[in-house]
Amino acid sequence: APGIMKGDVLDFGAFHGHLMGLAPPDYYEEKNRKWRLDTLPIIPDKFVYLPTDEESVNALLAKIRSGGYDFIVNACDAGREGEHIFYSFYEANGLTLPVRRYWASDFTEKSIKAALENLMDPKKKEGLREASKLRAELDWLTGMNFTRAVSLVGGAKVNVGRVMSIVLKFVVDRENE
Protein backbone atom coordinates (compact mmCIF):
# COMPACT_ATOMS: atom_id res chain seq x y z
CA ALA A 1 0.00 0.00 0.00
CA PRO A 2 1.20 3.55 -0.55
CA GLY A 3 2.47 5.45 2.43
CA ILE A 4 2.58 9.16 3.02
CA MET A 5 5.66 10.80 4.51
CA LYS A 6 5.17 13.59 7.04
CA GLY A 7 8.48 14.52 8.52
CA ASP A 8 9.84 11.22 9.83
CA VAL A 9 6.43 9.50 9.92
CA LEU A 10 5.41 6.85 7.43
CA ASP A 11 1.62 6.53 7.53
CA PHE A 12 0.14 3.59 5.62
CA GLY A 13 -3.42 4.74 5.02
CA ALA A 14 -6.51 2.95 3.82
CA PHE A 15 -5.02 1.97 0.48
CA HIS A 16 -5.88 -1.54 -0.59
CA GLY A 17 -6.09 -3.57 -3.77
CA HIS A 18 -7.59 -2.03 -6.85
CA LEU A 19 -9.17 1.22 -5.63
CA MET A 20 -9.65 2.37 -9.21
CA GLY A 21 -11.01 0.63 -12.27
CA LEU A 22 -11.36 1.51 -15.92
CA ALA A 23 -14.70 3.15 -16.67
CA PRO A 24 -17.36 1.00 -18.38
CA PRO A 25 -18.18 1.53 -22.06
CA ASP A 26 -21.31 3.61 -21.41
CA TYR A 27 -19.24 6.11 -19.41
CA TYR A 28 -17.64 7.17 -22.70
CA GLU A 29 -20.78 7.15 -24.82
CA GLU A 30 -24.39 6.37 -23.88
CA LYS A 31 -24.83 4.33 -27.09
CA ASN A 32 -22.44 1.77 -25.60
CA ARG A 33 -24.96 0.86 -22.88
CA LYS A 34 -26.72 -1.57 -25.26
CA TRP A 35 -24.73 -4.43 -26.75
CA ARG A 36 -24.89 -4.01 -30.52
CA LEU A 37 -22.48 -5.03 -33.28
CA ASP A 38 -22.82 -1.66 -35.00
CA THR A 39 -21.27 0.13 -31.97
CA LEU A 40 -18.11 -2.02 -32.06
CA PRO A 41 -15.27 -1.53 -31.67
CA ILE A 42 -15.45 0.63 -28.58
CA ILE A 43 -12.19 2.59 -28.38
CA PRO A 44 -12.12 5.50 -25.92
CA ASP A 45 -10.09 8.55 -26.92
CA LYS A 46 -8.63 8.55 -23.41
CA PHE A 47 -9.15 5.90 -20.76
CA VAL A 48 -10.68 7.05 -17.47
CA TYR A 49 -10.30 5.43 -14.06
CA LEU A 50 -13.16 5.59 -11.56
CA PRO A 51 -13.18 4.62 -7.87
CA THR A 52 -14.20 1.05 -7.08
CA ASP A 53 -14.25 1.87 -3.35
CA GLU A 54 -15.26 5.50 -3.09
CA GLU A 55 -15.13 5.60 0.71
CA SER A 56 -11.47 4.48 0.81
CA VAL A 57 -10.53 6.79 -2.07
CA ASN A 58 -12.13 9.78 -0.34
CA ALA A 59 -10.44 8.93 2.99
CA LEU A 60 -7.03 8.72 1.33
CA LEU A 61 -7.52 11.92 -0.64
CA ALA A 62 -8.60 13.77 2.50
CA LYS A 63 -5.46 12.56 4.29
CA ILE A 64 -3.18 13.45 1.38
CA ARG A 65 -4.77 16.86 0.85
CA SER A 66 -4.68 17.73 4.55
CA GLY A 67 -1.17 18.99 3.87
CA GLY A 68 2.25 18.87 5.39
CA TYR A 69 3.50 15.87 3.45
CA ASP A 70 6.83 15.87 1.69
CA PHE A 71 6.01 13.00 -0.66
CA ILE A 72 3.92 9.87 -1.14
CA VAL A 73 5.49 6.44 -0.92
CA ASN A 74 4.35 3.89 -3.47
CA ALA A 75 4.65 0.71 -1.41
CA CYS A 76 2.42 -1.42 -3.63
CA ASP A 77 3.68 -4.83 -4.75
CA ALA A 78 7.09 -4.76 -6.39
CA GLY A 79 6.18 -5.31 -10.03
CA ARG A 80 4.05 -4.20 -12.94
CA GLU A 81 0.72 -4.66 -11.15
CA GLY A 82 1.87 -2.65 -8.14
CA GLU A 83 2.81 0.20 -10.44
CA HIS A 84 -0.60 0.04 -12.07
CA ILE A 85 -2.54 -0.02 -8.80
CA PHE A 86 -0.68 3.00 -7.45
CA TYR A 87 -0.62 5.18 -10.57
CA SER A 88 -4.24 4.52 -11.54
CA PHE A 89 -5.12 6.14 -8.19
CA TYR A 90 -2.46 8.86 -8.28
CA GLU A 91 -3.14 10.04 -11.83
CA ALA A 92 -6.94 9.72 -11.78
CA ASN A 93 -7.08 11.95 -8.72
CA GLY A 94 -4.73 14.60 -10.08
CA LEU A 95 -2.17 14.21 -7.30
CA THR A 96 1.01 16.21 -7.63
CA LEU A 97 3.02 15.37 -4.51
CA PRO A 98 6.37 13.84 -5.36
CA VAL A 99 6.49 10.04 -5.24
CA ARG A 100 9.16 7.75 -3.82
CA ARG A 101 9.12 4.00 -4.54
CA TYR A 102 9.41 1.39 -1.81
CA TRP A 103 10.63 -1.77 -3.54
CA ALA A 104 10.97 -5.05 -1.65
CA SER A 105 10.37 -8.52 -3.05
CA ASP A 106 10.12 -10.29 0.29
CA PHE A 107 9.07 -9.50 3.83
CA THR A 108 12.22 -10.20 5.79
CA GLU A 109 13.23 -7.54 8.27
CA LYS A 110 16.45 -6.97 6.34
CA SER A 111 14.61 -6.41 3.00
CA ILE A 112 12.00 -4.13 4.53
CA LYS A 113 14.62 -2.04 6.28
CA ALA A 114 16.73 -1.78 3.11
CA ALA A 115 13.70 -0.74 1.04
CA LEU A 116 12.69 1.92 3.57
CA GLU A 117 16.23 3.29 3.74
CA ASN A 118 16.56 3.35 -0.05
CA LEU A 119 13.27 4.70 -1.38
CA MET A 120 13.68 4.97 -5.15
CA ASP A 121 13.05 7.65 -7.68
CA PRO A 122 9.95 6.32 -9.48
CA LYS A 123 11.57 7.09 -12.85
CA LYS A 124 13.56 3.87 -12.36
CA LYS A 125 10.29 1.95 -12.78
CA GLU A 126 8.72 4.12 -15.51
CA GLY A 127 8.87 1.28 -18.06
CA LEU A 128 6.88 -0.99 -15.74
CA ARG A 129 4.44 1.83 -15.10
CA GLU A 130 3.81 2.34 -18.83
CA ALA A 131 3.63 -1.41 -19.49
CA SER A 132 1.05 -1.83 -16.73
CA LYS A 133 -1.11 0.96 -18.09
CA LEU A 134 -0.98 -0.41 -21.64
CA ARG A 135 -1.72 -3.95 -20.41
CA ALA A 136 -4.82 -2.73 -18.53
CA GLU A 137 -6.07 -0.78 -21.55
CA LEU A 138 -5.47 -3.73 -23.90
CA ASP A 139 -7.31 -6.05 -21.49
CA TRP A 140 -10.25 -3.61 -21.43
CA LEU A 141 -10.33 -3.32 -25.23
CA THR A 142 -10.12 -7.09 -25.66
CA GLY A 143 -12.69 -7.90 -23.00
CA MET A 144 -15.26 -5.23 -23.84
CA ASN A 145 -15.12 -5.65 -27.61
CA PHE A 146 -14.60 -9.38 -28.09
CA THR A 147 -16.98 -10.40 -25.29
CA ARG A 148 -19.73 -8.34 -26.91
CA ALA A 149 -18.93 -9.48 -30.46
CA VAL A 150 -18.72 -13.20 -29.64
CA SER A 151 -21.80 -13.05 -27.41
CA LEU A 152 -23.90 -11.21 -29.98
CA VAL A 153 -22.89 -13.50 -32.84
CA GLY A 154 -23.16 -16.68 -30.74
CA GLY A 155 -26.46 -15.81 -29.07
CA ALA A 156 -25.21 -16.39 -25.51
CA LYS A 157 -22.88 -14.47 -23.24
CA VAL A 158 -19.30 -15.64 -23.66
CA ASN A 159 -16.59 -13.85 -21.70
CA VAL A 160 -13.47 -13.29 -23.75
CA GLY A 161 -10.25 -12.01 -22.22
CA ARG A 162 -6.52 -11.99 -22.72
CA VAL A 163 -5.76 -14.53 -19.97
CA MET A 164 -9.07 -16.36 -19.76
CA SER A 165 -9.17 -17.22 -23.46
CA ILE A 166 -5.63 -18.60 -23.51
CA VAL A 167 -6.15 -20.72 -20.40
CA LEU A 168 -9.42 -22.06 -21.81
CA LYS A 169 -7.60 -22.98 -25.03
CA PHE A 170 -5.01 -24.92 -23.02
CA VAL A 171 -7.77 -26.83 -21.22
CA VAL A 172 -9.56 -27.65 -24.49
CA ASP A 173 -6.30 -28.70 -26.17
CA ARG A 174 -5.44 -30.96 -23.24
CA GLU A 175 -8.93 -32.50 -23.25
CA ASN A 176 -8.65 -33.14 -26.99
CA GLU A 177 -5.31 -34.92 -26.44
Side-chain angles (χ1 to χ4, degrees):
I4 305 168
M5 294 297 294
K6 189 170 192 172
D8 292 330
V9 177
L10 181 62
D11 176 12
F12 289 94
F15 203 97
H16 60 83
H18 295 265
L19 285 178
M20 309 297 289
L22 284 164
D26 60 300
Y27 175 88
Y28 301 103
E29 290 189 72
E30 182 61 32
K31 72 177 185 178
N32 295 330
R33 185 173 300 278
K34 289 192 121 196
W35 288 31
R36 295 181 16 209
L37 286 174
D38 66 343
T39 62
L40 299 178
I42 302 166
I43 304 173
D45 291 332
K46 181 178 189 258
F47 283 94
V48 173
Y49 283 85
L50 300 174
T52 58
D53 177 350
E54 208 158 331
E55 186 177 328
S56 293
V57 167
N58 289 338
L60 279 166
L61 290 174
K63 184 176 283 200
I64 291 167
R65 292 179 175 145
S66 69
Y69 295 105
D70 301 325
F71 53 90
I72 298 175
V73 175
N74 174 2
C76 290
D77 290 346
R80 184 177 71 182
E81 198 60 23
E83 291 298 289
H84 180 66
I85 289 169
F86 176 80
Y87 282 103
S88 64
F89 169 80
Y90 183 88
E91 292 170 351
N93 290 292
L95 298 175
T96 57
L97 272 173
V99 175
R100 302 298 295 162
R101 185 58 161 112
Y102 168 94
W103 192 273
S105 297
D106 62 57
F107 297 105
T108 64
E109 184 177 340
K110 182 179 177 182
S111 292
I112 292 169
K113 187 175 181 179
L116 286 170
E117 290 173 352
N118 297 292
L119 295 174
M120 284 187 226
D121 181 335
K123 288 182 178 163
K124 289 185 175 185
K125 301 298 177 186
E126 230 167 44
L128 277 180
R129 175 180 171 186
E130 187 63 22
S132 69
K133 184 177 180 180
L134 293 172
R135 191 256 333 134
E137 292 171 2
L138 177 62
D139 284 354
W140 189 96
L141 290 166
T142 301
M144 295 301 169
N145 287 294
F146 286 114
T147 294
R148 288 178 182 218
V150 170
S151 298
L152 289 166
V153 170
K157 185 169 185 212
V158 178
N159 291 319
V160 178
R162 176 182 56 92
V163 176
M164 179 188 333
S165 300
I166 294 168
V167 171
L168 183 57
K169 182 189 181 319
F170 290 148
V171 171
V172 170
D173 288 349
R174 184 67 178 165
E175 181 66 25
N176 287 338
E177 284 178 18

PDB file of all heavy atoms in Angstrom, residues 3 7 13 16 20 43 50 64 70 74 80 92 94 96 99 106 115 130 136 138 152 156 171:
ATOM      1  N   GLY A   3       2.340   4.754   1.159  1.00  0.00           N
ATOM      2  CA  GLY A   3       2.469   5.446   2.427  1.00  0.00           C
ATOM      3  C   GLY A   3       2.642   6.930   2.157  1.00  0.00           C
ATOM      4  O   GLY A   3       2.944   7.332   1.042  1.00  0.00           O
ATOM      5  N   GLY A   7       7.291  14.478   7.683  1.00  0.00           N
ATOM      6  CA  GLY A   7       8.484  14.519   8.520  1.00  0.00           C
ATOM      7  C   GLY A   7       9.128  13.144   8.530  1.00  0.00           C
ATOM      8  O   GLY A   7       9.470  12.604   7.504  1.00  0.00           O
ATOM      9  N   GLY A  13      -2.004   4.421   4.894  1.00  0.00           N
ATOM     10  CA  GLY A  13      -3.416   4.742   5.020  1.00  0.00           C
ATOM     11  C   GLY A  13      -4.318   3.586   4.629  1.00  0.00           C
ATOM     12  O   GLY A  13      -3.958   2.424   4.737  1.00  0.00           O
ATOM     13  N   HIS A  16      -5.809  -0.093  -0.459  1.00  0.00           N
ATOM     14  CA  HIS A  16      -5.885  -1.541  -0.590  1.00  0.00           C
ATOM     15  C   HIS A  16      -6.243  -1.906  -2.017  1.00  0.00           C
ATOM     16  O   HIS A  16      -6.950  -1.180  -2.698  1.00  0.00           O
ATOM     17  CB  HIS A  16      -6.922  -2.127   0.369  1.00  0.00           C
ATOM     18  CG  HIS A  16      -8.299  -1.594   0.133  1.00  0.00           C
ATOM     19  ND1 HIS A  16      -9.137  -2.105  -0.839  1.00  0.00           N
ATOM     20  CD2 HIS A  16      -8.979  -0.583   0.707  1.00  0.00           C
ATOM     21  CE1 HIS A  16     -10.280  -1.429  -0.833  1.00  0.00           C
ATOM     22  NE2 HIS A  16     -10.203  -0.500   0.089  1.00  0.00           N
ATOM     23  N   MET A  20      -9.176   1.719  -7.990  1.00  0.00           N
ATOM     24  CA  MET A  20      -9.652   2.371  -9.208  1.00  0.00           C
ATOM     25  C   MET A  20      -9.831   1.303 -10.288  1.00  0.00           C
ATOM     26  O   MET A  20      -9.099   0.318 -10.321  1.00  0.00           O
ATOM     27  CB  MET A  20      -8.640   3.416  -9.691  1.00  0.00           C
ATOM     28  CG  MET A  20      -8.188   4.418  -8.645  1.00  0.00           C
ATOM     29  SD  MET A  20      -9.495   5.474  -7.995  1.00  0.00           S
ATOM     30  CE  MET A  20      -9.819   6.502  -9.404  1.00  0.00           C
ATOM     31  N   ILE A  43     -13.577   2.157 -28.620  1.00  0.00           N
ATOM     32  CA  ILE A  43     -12.193   2.590 -28.378  1.00  0.00           C
ATOM     33  C   ILE A  43     -12.230   4.012 -27.821  1.00  0.00           C
ATOM     34  O   ILE A  43     -12.389   4.968 -28.573  1.00  0.00           O
ATOM     35  CB  ILE A  43     -11.350   2.533 -29.674  1.00  0.00           C
ATOM     36  CG1 ILE A  43     -11.395   1.126 -30.288  1.00  0.00           C
ATOM     37  CG2 ILE A  43      -9.910   2.971 -29.386  1.00  0.00           C
ATOM     38  CD1 ILE A  43     -10.728   1.018 -31.641  1.00  0.00           C
ATOM     39  N   LEU A  50     -12.159   5.187 -12.546  1.00  0.00           N
ATOM     40  CA  LEU A  50     -13.160   5.593 -11.565  1.00  0.00           C
ATOM     41  C   LEU A  50     -12.952   4.784 -10.287  1.00  0.00           C
ATOM     42  O   LEU A  50     -12.482   3.645 -10.338  1.00  0.00           O
ATOM     43  CB  LEU A  50     -14.569   5.327 -12.109  1.00  0.00           C
ATOM     44  CG  LEU A  50     -14.940   6.045 -13.404  1.00  0.00           C
ATOM     45  CD1 LEU A  50     -16.306   5.575 -13.904  1.00  0.00           C
ATOM     46  CD2 LEU A  50     -14.941   7.554 -13.208  1.00  0.00           C
ATOM     47  N   ILE A  64      -4.243  12.895   2.211  1.00  0.00           N
ATOM     48  CA  ILE A  64      -3.182  13.452   1.376  1.00  0.00           C
ATOM     49  C   ILE A  64      -3.320  14.961   1.254  1.00  0.00           C
ATOM     50  O   ILE A  64      -2.342  15.705   1.348  1.00  0.00           O
ATOM     51  CB  ILE A  64      -3.193  12.788  -0.018  1.00  0.00           C
ATOM     52  CG1 ILE A  64      -2.750  11.327   0.096  1.00  0.00           C
ATOM     53  CG2 ILE A  64      -2.302  13.546  -1.001  1.00  0.00           C
ATOM     54  CD1 ILE A  64      -3.023  10.496  -1.150  1.00  0.00           C
ATOM     55  N   ASP A  70       5.713  15.622   2.591  1.00  0.00           N
ATOM     56  CA  ASP A  70       6.828  15.872   1.691  1.00  0.00           C
ATOM     57  C   ASP A  70       6.679  15.089   0.395  1.00  0.00           C
ATOM     58  O   ASP A  70       7.043  15.564  -0.673  1.00  0.00           O
ATOM     59  CB  ASP A  70       8.157  15.482   2.354  1.00  0.00           C
ATOM     60  CG  ASP A  70       8.413  16.259   3.640  1.00  0.00           C
ATOM     61  OD1 ASP A  70       8.020  17.438   3.706  1.00  0.00           O
ATOM     62  OD2 ASP A  70       8.981  15.673   4.572  1.00  0.00           O
ATOM     63  N   ASN A  74       5.028   4.995  -2.788  1.00  0.00           N
ATOM     64  CA  ASN A  74       4.346   3.895  -3.471  1.00  0.00           C
ATOM     65  C   ASN A  74       4.945   2.616  -2.912  1.00  0.00           C
ATOM     66  O   ASN A  74       6.046   2.224  -3.257  1.00  0.00           O
ATOM     67  CB  ASN A  74       4.558   3.975  -4.988  1.00  0.00           C
ATOM     68  CG  ASN A  74       3.999   2.768  -5.715  1.00  0.00           C
ATOM     69  OD1 ASN A  74       3.415   1.858  -5.114  1.00  0.00           O
ATOM     70  ND2 ASN A  74       4.179   2.747  -7.018  1.00  0.00           N
ATOM     71  N   ARG A  80       4.893  -4.947 -12.011  1.00  0.00           N
ATOM     72  CA  ARG A  80       4.049  -4.202 -12.940  1.00  0.00           C
ATOM     73  C   ARG A  80       2.683  -3.891 -12.340  1.00  0.00           C
ATOM     74  O   ARG A  80       2.199  -2.761 -12.434  1.00  0.00           O
ATOM     75  CB  ARG A  80       3.902  -5.020 -14.227  1.00  0.00           C
ATOM     76  CG  ARG A  80       3.130  -4.319 -15.310  1.00  0.00           C
ATOM     77  CD  ARG A  80       3.069  -5.133 -16.570  1.00  0.00           C
ATOM     78  NE  ARG A  80       2.195  -6.278 -16.355  1.00  0.00           N
ATOM     79  CZ  ARG A  80       1.962  -7.221 -17.257  1.00  0.00           C
ATOM     80  NH1 ARG A  80       2.556  -7.179 -18.414  1.00  0.00           N
ATOM     81  NH2 ARG A  80       1.145  -8.210 -16.993  1.00  0.00           N
ATOM     82  N   ALA A  92      -5.504   9.458 -11.656  1.00  0.00           N
ATOM     83  CA  ALA A  92      -6.940   9.724 -11.778  1.00  0.00           C
ATOM     84  C   ALA A  92      -7.400  10.815 -10.823  1.00  0.00           C
ATOM     85  O   ALA A  92      -8.371  11.523 -11.096  1.00  0.00           O
ATOM     86  CB  ALA A  92      -7.744   8.446 -11.525  1.00  0.00           C
ATOM     87  N   GLY A  94      -5.464  13.361  -9.851  1.00  0.00           N
ATOM     88  CA  GLY A  94      -4.725  14.599 -10.084  1.00  0.00           C
ATOM     89  C   GLY A  94      -3.727  14.946  -8.993  1.00  0.00           C
ATOM     90  O   GLY A  94      -3.490  16.128  -8.726  1.00  0.00           O
ATOM     91  N   THR A  96      -0.231  15.603  -7.140  1.00  0.00           N
ATOM     92  CA  THR A  96       1.009  16.212  -7.631  1.00  0.00           C
ATOM     93  C   THR A  96       2.168  16.092  -6.645  1.00  0.00           C
ATOM     94  O   THR A  96       3.277  16.501  -6.976  1.00  0.00           O
ATOM     95  CB  THR A  96       0.789  17.706  -7.953  1.00  0.00           C
ATOM     96  OG1 THR A  96       0.313  18.366  -6.770  1.00  0.00           O
ATOM     97  CG2 THR A  96      -0.210  17.884  -9.087  1.00  0.00           C
ATOM     98  N   VAL A  99       6.644  11.448  -5.591  1.00  0.00           N
ATOM     99  CA  VAL A  99       6.486  10.036  -5.243  1.00  0.00           C
ATOM    100  C   VAL A  99       7.870   9.434  -5.031  1.00  0.00           C
ATOM    101  O   VAL A  99       8.819   9.752  -5.747  1.00  0.00           O
ATOM    102  CB  VAL A  99       5.755   9.267  -6.365  1.00  0.00           C
ATOM    103  CG1 VAL A  99       5.706   7.773  -6.070  1.00  0.00           C
ATOM    104  CG2 VAL A  99       4.354   9.829  -6.570  1.00  0.00           C
ATOM    105  N   ASP A 106      10.475  -9.353  -0.779  1.00  0.00           N
ATOM    106  CA  ASP A 106      10.125 -10.287   0.291  1.00  0.00           C
ATOM    107  C   ASP A 106       9.875  -9.491   1.565  1.00  0.00           C
ATOM    108  O   ASP A 106      10.036  -8.275   1.590  1.00  0.00           O
ATOM    109  CB  ASP A 106      11.205 -11.363   0.471  1.00  0.00           C
ATOM    110  CG  ASP A 106      12.551 -10.790   0.881  1.00  0.00           C
ATOM    111  OD1 ASP A 106      12.616 -10.094   1.925  1.00  0.00           O
ATOM    112  OD2 ASP A 106      13.540 -11.043   0.178  1.00  0.00           O
ATOM    113  N   ALA A 115      14.626  -1.455   1.934  1.00  0.00           N
ATOM    114  CA  ALA A 115      13.704  -0.742   1.043  1.00  0.00           C
ATOM    115  C   ALA A 115      13.308   0.611   1.630  1.00  0.00           C
ATOM    116  O   ALA A 115      13.227   1.612   0.909  1.00  0.00           O
ATOM    117  CB  ALA A 115      12.468  -1.594   0.772  1.00  0.00           C
ATOM    118  N   GLU A 130       4.429   2.214 -17.509  1.00  0.00           N
ATOM    119  CA  GLU A 130       3.815   2.340 -18.831  1.00  0.00           C
ATOM    120  C   GLU A 130       3.289   0.987 -19.316  1.00  0.00           C
ATOM    121  O   GLU A 130       2.201   0.899 -19.875  1.00  0.00           O
ATOM    122  CB  GLU A 130       4.827   2.924 -19.828  1.00  0.00           C
ATOM    123  CG  GLU A 130       4.245   3.260 -21.179  1.00  0.00           C
ATOM    124  CD  GLU A 130       3.164   4.332 -21.157  1.00  0.00           C
ATOM    125  OE1 GLU A 130       3.096   5.141 -20.220  1.00  0.00           O
ATOM    126  OE2 GLU A 130       2.371   4.354 -22.122  1.00  0.00           O
ATOM    127  N   ALA A 136      -3.454  -2.915 -19.029  1.00  0.00           N
ATOM    128  CA  ALA A 136      -4.815  -2.726 -18.534  1.00  0.00           C
ATOM    129  C   ALA A 136      -5.742  -2.236 -19.649  1.00  0.00           C
ATOM    130  O   ALA A 136      -6.875  -2.704 -19.781  1.00  0.00           O
ATOM    131  CB  ALA A 136      -4.818  -1.727 -17.377  1.00  0.00           C
ATOM    132  N   LEU A 138      -5.301  -2.647 -22.934  1.00  0.00           N
ATOM    133  CA  LEU A 138      -5.472  -3.733 -23.896  1.00  0.00           C
ATOM    134  C   LEU A 138      -6.461  -4.769 -23.371  1.00  0.00           C
ATOM    135  O   LEU A 138      -7.320  -5.251 -24.119  1.00  0.00           O
ATOM    136  CB  LEU A 138      -4.134  -4.399 -24.217  1.00  0.00           C
ATOM    137  CG  LEU A 138      -4.215  -5.596 -25.171  1.00  0.00           C
ATOM    138  CD1 LEU A 138      -4.743  -5.183 -26.535  1.00  0.00           C
ATOM    139  CD2 LEU A 138      -2.863  -6.251 -25.303  1.00  0.00           C
ATOM    140  N   LEU A 152     -22.834 -11.604 -29.056  1.00  0.00           N
ATOM    141  CA  LEU A 152     -23.898 -11.213 -29.982  1.00  0.00           C
ATOM    142  C   LEU A 152     -24.007 -12.177 -31.163  1.00  0.00           C
ATOM    143  O   LEU A 152     -25.104 -12.566 -31.556  1.00  0.00           O
ATOM    144  CB  LEU A 152     -23.669  -9.782 -30.479  1.00  0.00           C
ATOM    145  CG  LEU A 152     -23.908  -8.693 -29.425  1.00  0.00           C
ATOM    146  CD1 LEU A 152     -23.334  -7.364 -29.890  1.00  0.00           C
ATOM    147  CD2 LEU A 152     -25.396  -8.555 -29.110  1.00  0.00           C
ATOM    148  N   ALA A 156     -25.305 -16.169 -26.957  1.00  0.00           N
ATOM    149  CA  ALA A 156     -25.209 -16.386 -25.508  1.00  0.00           C
ATOM    150  C   ALA A 156     -23.961 -15.659 -25.011  1.00  0.00           C
ATOM    151  O   ALA A 156     -22.983 -15.522 -25.745  1.00  0.00           O
ATOM    152  CB  ALA A 156     -25.097 -17.872 -25.189  1.00  0.00           C
ATOM    153  N   VAL A 171      -6.910 -25.776 -21.781  1.00  0.00           N
ATOM    154  CA  VAL A 171      -7.774 -26.828 -21.216  1.00  0.00           C
ATOM    155  C   VAL A 171      -8.403 -27.639 -22.345  1.00  0.00           C
ATOM    156  O   VAL A 171      -8.409 -28.879 -22.308  1.00  0.00           O
ATOM    157  CB  VAL A 171      -8.854 -26.210 -20.296  1.00  0.00           C
ATOM    158  CG1 VAL A 171      -9.890 -27.251 -19.882  1.00  0.00           C
ATOM    159  CG2 VAL A 171      -8.207 -25.577 -19.066  1.00  0.00           C
TER     160      VAL A 171
END
